[in-house]
Amino acid sequence: MTRMLTLGVALLAAALPAVGQVAPERVALTGVRILPISGPAIDKGTILIERGRIAAVGEDVEVPFDARVFELDGRTVMPGLIDVHTWRGMDQPNETRPVTPQLDVYDAIDPSQLFFEDSLRLGVTAIHVMPGDNTVVGGLGRVVRPIGRTLGEMTIAPGSFLKLAVAPKGGFDRMMQMSTLREAFAKLSDELGKLAEARYEEDRKEKDEPVDVVPDEARKRGVKLIRVEDLTDETRNLLRLTGGAVTVGDETGEPLLDPLGAFVHCARAMDVAPAIQIARDNGFFDRLVLVLGPECFKAIPELKKAARPVVLVGDLTHRETDPLTGKVRETFVPRKYADAGLMFSLLPGPSSSLPERMLTYQAARCVRGGVGRDVALRAITSHPAETLGLGDQLGSIEVGRAAHLVVFTGDPLDFNSVVERVFIDGIPAYDRARDVRLQRLLSFQETNAEETPE
Amino acid sequence: MNARNALLGLLLAGLSAAAVADEPAGMAFRVAKVVSMDRSETVHNDAIVLVQGGRITQIGKPGEVTIPEGFTRHEHPEAWLVPGLIDCHNHTAGTLSDLNDMIYQTNPGLNTRAAIEPENDNIKEARTGGVTSVLLIPGSGTNMSGFGTISKTGGKTPDEVIVRSPGSLKIAQSGNPEWYFGGNSRRFMNWNTRQTLLKAKAYHEAWEAFEQGETTVEPAHNPIFEDFRGLFRKEYPASVHTQAYQVLLTTVDMLSLQLGIWTVLDHCTFDAWKVGPIVAASDCWTINGPRQYQFDRTAARMIGNASGWWKNGVRKLGINTDAPVVPQRELSYQATMACWYGWQPYPALKGVTSIPAEALGVYDRVGSIEAGKDADFGIWTGNPLDPRSACLKTIVDGKVVYDAAKSIRRF
């Protein structure tokens, strides 16, 4: 029994590393090849971490006497990989009801899911958990680290994006989808009008003055009187999405709510224009991120004009069969975005294929498909960081950035390389030599080999 | 305690006084051992326990206790006298069709008080296993299925059996209610449950403000939220159907830490024991069951749930049956299983007597053998956790409600 529990706790410890423990104040990674992403590679250098942040990077960095030193000669260090859009880590991706701006993935993220441990094992240090694509308005996401026992310990940034979909939800057609989406915003405007009118009337009553204007005018005059506590979760989140189209605040008009952005799912090229339009119409174009299915590359002229960050979901290769000739035409999708100069982020592949789950594999495929190596690496690090508005925190190795670092045994895009260590905010979060579950998996294979008859 | 409960108390007192008039003067139990489960955890060996007027009046050595004249003597010099077992999670208030009224995703206005059928077969069966008090709660078909009732297993009418109503508020965090309304996820359910509780809390606070003279505007009366006032005054707990890691984490976070509700975590199965350190640091009570073990796929081992909780620092730990999922009379056997999978017998026995009484806030009346407390106990051939032991007699409110020698074994 004791052994059983020890093992259980050991496995748990592997899954949920030492967040509760105090991370070493200073950590130094010496003798490493550094891929800072934001600048040229350093062939042999040192990274110094202080209190979870990168304090120094370079060939000649003095290591303080009290630093916890990892001598990693011959290894390569790059910024922690970022999974910019996934529903994994929750119990299920979508709600049956179509419009749920009030919901937050906070209520469903399960820190104990193997998904987080697997992400860590593959070098992912930040995960943007989002509602799924089968929705109209899906609610708030959240950026988390794959370590921690609770959401509090895991959270890097609470929800700053709502999930929207222009591609139709199951059972909806595109007209129904767009009509439901427009209706959500119309309802918001109506809701705010009602609140404004009620507050205006209340204000007049307190001042012992008659309400001597028509409702339309009362709705205009009362806008400044709306209080944050008047807003339901639905109204508040949609209002934040429209980003101050209505000033909500105290008497000074100081905005009390942070604006929200949106990840808008487009399955096909025909979805791109409506997505851009709805963002422009409702004041969140500047905070728009487009989540694009493979065929969307056909809308690149519109995307180029919009110049908003995009996230590529689905297969990286798009195949089409000509109905007349039967000829198959293949397009390697990321190449199109790279050539167009758009900021795109890669995701782990949709299939259960093992390599596609690795962001480094996806980036390597880009290189093979003609995308520049630098761009391919940015698509799994700095691009997602900037897309999430965390470019000053994550995605590159620079002084002042959070110390999210992955140590590979060789070049990250070489398929023979494996993740050896991961540091998250300076915490030594993963060590392959102490990965209990991986050792079990590997030892199992070895045992089988021994049992093979001679 | 609100006026209704006080009235109920008076009614109960009146009834038991009336009943006593027909009873013999009292009873004396001569036993080999009394595992008292009092605060100092006394074990009386070779003891006599006197019962009068439905209460325990005295515990002592045969030489020290004078048995008053007219008392019925129960001679069990080789038996154990153990506090009546208590289950925090029982669905056998009446018929199973009364288990769930699935009207909305949360149903704050319901109460099992309306569905209690004393002396139903499940309750009679409970007595054969030395169980004397149960919390009758609605099911987990929706996220909030109404208030439960703490009830004795002996007595003919609802007023006779009820210990406290409301006993607790039943909440089902996840793992069943998502099937209602065609598949809501935890995102919607948790948001929705929180909304209902926030509305109830706002109702309570509005009335508090009015009653304390902070405002002269009387809030509108809403019978649906009336029982929540006691919940937010911490007069009774919420019993929460909660099990896997994230689900249990949500319960501790939402109910206990954020809303300050007195929280009893029911089930606590699968890998939930891994939340142990967080639960141990909270005010929550943990009542494990009916599953007593989990097959941990990653470790490829059986893990004892109660043992997992105990070894992770949780001491406010008890056991349930989820009757009729596991028959109520097998509560002791649930504790036996918990020990088989790594827990220890003494804390496990506490886990079916004093711990559930404390978790529900009724330890002042039941859950231990002390002078002044309700005469609720079982006479056992030995340690109730030993599966070879049998319950010989069950006493509720000073009345023998089960006697193995006289009963035809129905179960």
Side-chain angles (χ1 to χ4, degrees):
Chain A
M1 187 64 222
T2 311
R3 217 185 124 208
M4 174 166 97
L5 258 158
T6 315
L7 185 62
V9 170
L11 286 168
L12 179 68
L16 314 164
V19 180
Q21 290 168 23
V22 181
E25 189 144 307
R26 289 183 187 78
V27 178
L29 279 52
T30 63
V32 286
R33 178 166 171 253
I34 303 165
L35 304 177
I37 301 301
S38 53
I42 299 166
D43 278 340
K44 197 172 171 83
T46 294
I47 301 171
L48 179 66
I49 302 165
E50 275 185 11
R51 286 181 294 279
R53 300 211 156 258
I54 295 165
V57 188
E59 286 172 353
D60 304 305
V61 172
E62 202 177 321
V63 177
F65 83 99
D66 59 348
R68 167 81 173 90
V69 178
F70 293 88
E71 290 170 355
L72 300 167
D73 292 48
R75 316 296 200 285
T76 301
V77 180
M78 71 177 291
L81 310 180
I82 300 172
D83 188 344
V84 74
H85 178 263
T86 183
W87 68 266
R88 294 186 184 100
M90 298 195 289
D91 56 329
Q92 65 183 57
N94 300 292
E95 300 300 321
T96 41
R97 60 198 79 212
V99 181
T100 55
Q102 75 272 33
L103 304 189
D104 190 330
V105 295
Y106 179 87
D107 280 324
I109 293 177
D110 181 352
S112 76
Q113 275 205 14
L114 277 178
F115 164 70
F116 293 112
E117 189 189 313
D118 278 339
S119 297
L120 180 64
R121 189 174 280 128
L122 298 175
V124 176
T125 62
I127 301 160
H128 188 213
V129 182
M130 271 254 122
D133 297 335
N134 190 14
T135 186
V136 177
V137 180
L140 282 171
R142 174 170 290 249
V143 184
V144 297
R145 358 184 250 188
I147 54 169
R149 293 172 307 170
T150 63
L151 257 285
E153 287 177 355
M154 291 175 81
T155 298
I156 294 171
S160 40
F161 291 93
L162 275 178
K163 180 66 178 281
L164 268 60
V166 169
K169 176 181 165 59
F172 282 33
D173 65 7
R174 283 187 160 74
M175 288 186 290
M176 180 68 172
Q177 183 81 11
M178 285 309 290
S179 139
T180 312
L181 201 46
R182 282 194 299 266
E183 193 185 327
F185 288 106
K187 206 179 144 199
L188 166 72
S189 145
D190 188 47
E191 202 65 39
L192 290 170
K194 280 181 192 158
L195 288 173
E197 192 181 340
R199 279 295 181 197
Y200 178 73
E201 283 173 8
E202 192 186 282
D203 184 56
R204 300 294 285 181
K205 205 174 159 190
E206 273 171 24
K207 289 176 180 155
D208 251 346
E209 285 167 26
V211 179
D212 50 4
V213 293
V214 293
D216 264 5
E217 183 60 22
R219 286 179 171 214
K220 276 180 206 153
R221 292 187 188 182
V223 163
K224 287 252 178 192
L225 301 170
I226 297 175
R227 296 174 198 165
V228 173
E229 62 264 30
D230 294 344
L231 305 172
T232 60
D233 291 350
E234 292 97 319
T235 311
R236 190 184 60 243
N237 285 349
L238 278 178
L239 180 63
R240 288 176 66 193
L241 179 62
T242 61
V246 176
T247 312
V248 172
D250 56 16
E251 280 178 2
T252 60
E254 195 74 22
L256 295 176
L257 299 167
D258 294 333
L260 289 173
F263 272 53
V264 183
H265 177 238
C266 306
R268 305 206 25 212
M270 68 190 291
D271 297 328
V272 171
I276 292 170
Q277 192 59 47
I278 201 120
R280 283 195 196 281
D281 289 350
N282 295 287
F284 62 92
F285 177 74
D286 293 341
R287 298 178 301 283
L288 170 68
V289 177
L290 292 150
V291 180
L292 303 177
E295 201 234 17
C296 293
F297 75 88
K298 291 178 182 169
I300 274 182
E302 285 145 294
L303 290 164
K304 231 173 141 173
K305 219 168 130 198
R308 294 301 309 158
V310 302
V311 174
L312 306 184
V313 290
D315 289 321
L316 296 186
T317 307
H318 180 66
R319 284 179 195 81
E320 257 176 312
T321 309
D322 188 305
L324 293 178
T325 63
K327 206 174 159 189
V328 177
R329 188 174 157 183
E330 280 198 358
T331 309
F332 187 71
V333 174
R335 172 77 187 270
K336 296 284 179 188
Y337 293 93
D339 289 350
L342 282 160
M343 187 168 84
F344 69 93
S345 299
L346 295 168
L347 288 177
S351 72
S352 55
S353 131
L354 191 65
E356 282 193 24
R357 280 169 47 208
M358 301 179 192
L359 281 169
T360 42
Y361 178 76
Q362 299 289 73
R365 284 174 72 198
C366 284
V367 174
R368 177 181 152 170
V371 177
R373 176 184 155 90
D374 287 352
V375 174
L377 285 173
R378 283 205 294 271
I380 56 176
T381 53
S382 62
H383 285 174
E386 283 166 39
T387 300
L388 293 170
L390 298 169
D392 57 344
Q393 300 281 320
L394 306 172
S396 64
I397 301 178
E398 280 178 82
V399 173
R401 297 279 199 275
H404 283 225
L405 303 169
V406 192
V407 180
F408 284 90
T409 51
D411 190 85
L413 300 189
D414 180 345
F415 209 57
N416 291 311
S417 301
V418 293
V419 174
E420 198 173 74
R421 286 178 188 277
V422 178
F423 295 85
I424 299 181
D425 294 316
I427 300 167
Y430 177 75
D431 176 356
R432 188 178 160 89
R434 289 160 68 189
D435 184 341
V436 181
R437 225 186 291 276
L438 189 68
Q439 280 169 9
R440 256 175 179 276
L441 180 73
L442 299 177
S443 70
F444 181 64
Q445 287 171 337
E446 281 159 20
T447 313
N448 269 1
E450 278 166 24
E451 284 168 2
T452 312
E454 284 168 21
Chain B
M1 186 168 282
N2 60 32
R4 199 177 73 195
N5 283 357
L7 183 65
L8 206 62
L10 283 173
L11 275 171
L12 269 171
L15 277 164
S16 54
V20 165
D22 303 334
E23 292 283 311
M27 293 191 286
F29 291 84
R30 166 92 162 84
V31 290
K33 193 183 280 293
V34 177
V35 187
S36 78
M37 296 300 173
D38 64 11
R39 295 278 185 212
S40 51
E41 316 219 328
T42 318
V43 175
H44 308 271
N45 290 306
D46 287 324
I48 287 180
V49 175
L50 296 185
V51 171
Q52 196 171 17
R55 307 262 161 135
I56 297 160
T57 54
Q58 199 182 353
I59 307 142
K61 290 271 176 203
E64 298 160 0
V65 177
T66 318
I67 299 173
E69 210 168 313
F71 269 47
T72 313
R73 288 166 187 257
H74 294 262
E75 291 289 339
H76 297 286
E78 295 304 318
W80 287 30
L81 189 150
V82 177
L85 308 190
I86 299 170
D87 199 328
C88 294
H89 203 106
N90 178 308
H91 297 298
T92 66
T95 64
L96 278 184
S97 61
D98 297 320
L99 185 61
N100 279 302
D101 282 311
M102 292 165 67
I103 305 157
Y104 304 111
Q105 189 74 47
T106 52
N107 300 283
L110 308 181
N111 197 320
T112 54
R113 178 76 173 74
I116 288 178
E117 184 192 1
E119 298 287 309
N120 71 49
D121 276 358
N122 283 308
I123 293 292
K124 281 181 188 164
E125 185 182 352
R127 308 200 288 239
T128 68
V131 179
T132 58
S133 292
V134 290
L135 172 58
L136 302 168
I137 44 178
S140 53
T142 62
N143 287 114
M144 193 183 284
S145 48
F147 285 85
T149 311
I150 305 173
S151 176
K152 295 279 179 85
T153 57
K156 304 284 183 207
T157 66
D159 284 344
E160 240 178 282
V161 297
I162 289 171
V163 178
R164 190 183 68 213
S165 173
S168 79
L169 169 68
K170 175 68 187 292
I171 289 173
Q173 202 78 54
S174 182
N176 277 354
E178 53 268 53
W179 308 117
Y180 193 45
F181 281 124
N184 288 317
S185 90
R186 289 179 196 168
R187 278 189 301 141
F188 181 83
M189 291 191 300
N190 289 330
W191 174 82
N192 188 53
T193 305
R194 191 189 293 111
Q195 289 297 304
T196 307
L197 288 165
L198 286 173
K199 275 180 203 162
K201 194 165 188 241
Y203 178 80
H204 167 62
E205 282 165 357
W207 272 98
E208 288 284 289
F210 173 69
E211 285 167 3
Q212 286 165 14
E214 287 165 26
T215 169
T216 51
V217 187
E218 186 174 334
H221 181 70
N222 187 345
I224 283 176
F225 289 135
E226 201 52 38
D227 281 342
F228 285 78
R229 299 204 55 198
L231 181 78
F232 287 108
R233 280 195 293 250
K234 295 202 179 193
E235 287 167 12
Y236 33 84
S239 295
V240 192
H241 164 109
T242 181
Q243 62 300 81
Y245 188 94
Q246 185 268 344
V247 180
L248 205 107
L249 205 59
T250 303
T251 306
V252 177
D253 181 47
M254 183 198 297
L255 299 180
S256 178
L257 301 179
Q258 289 180 26
L259 289 166
I261 291 170
W262 168 5
T263 306
V264 181
L265 308 166
D266 285 9
H267 300 317
C268 313
T269 44
F270 305 108
D271 60 346
W273 56 269
K274 291 176 182 172
V275 194
I278 294 162
V279 172
S282 76
D283 292 334
C284 298
W285 294 82
T286 304
I287 307 293
N288 176 216
R291 283 180 184 82
Q292 287 305 326
Y293 55 86
Q294 175 221 359
F295 181 69
D296 189 324
R297 284 165 188 275
T298 50
R301 299 282 171 92
M302 287 299 208
I303 303 278
N305 289 323
S307 163
W309 286 107
W310 187 257
K311 286 179 181 167
N312 276 279
V314 172
R315 291 294 173 267
K316 289 149 77 174
L317 179 63
I319 296 289
N320 70 34
T321 57
D322 198 4
V325 174
V326 168
Q328 185 59 75
R329 74 186 162 100
E330 291 181 6
L331 180 56
S332 65
Y333 192 60
Q334 287 284 92
T336 307
M337 290 238 292
C339 295
W340 171 257
Y341 288 105
W343 204 17
Q344 294 141 29
Y346 187 74
L349 189 54
K350 273 178 85 168
V352 290
T353 53
S354 60
I355 293 281
E358 289 186 84
L360 301 179
V362 290
Y363 187 69
D364 58 330
R365 281 188 59 184
V366 295
S368 71
I369 306 298
E370 291 172 86
K373 285 211 176 179
D374 291 8
D376 290 5
F377 50 84
I379 305 292
W380 291 76
T381 55
N383 184 349
L385 266 52
D386 183 335
R388 294 169 299 179
S389 299
C391 180
L392 297 173
K393 282 175 186 166
T394 304
I395 287 83
V396 174
D397 290 328
K399 287 180 214 120
V400 181
V401 295
Y402 169 70
D403 185 342
K406 291 180 189 166
S407 299
I408 302 160
R409 193 170 175 112
R410 305 170 44 138
F411 305 104

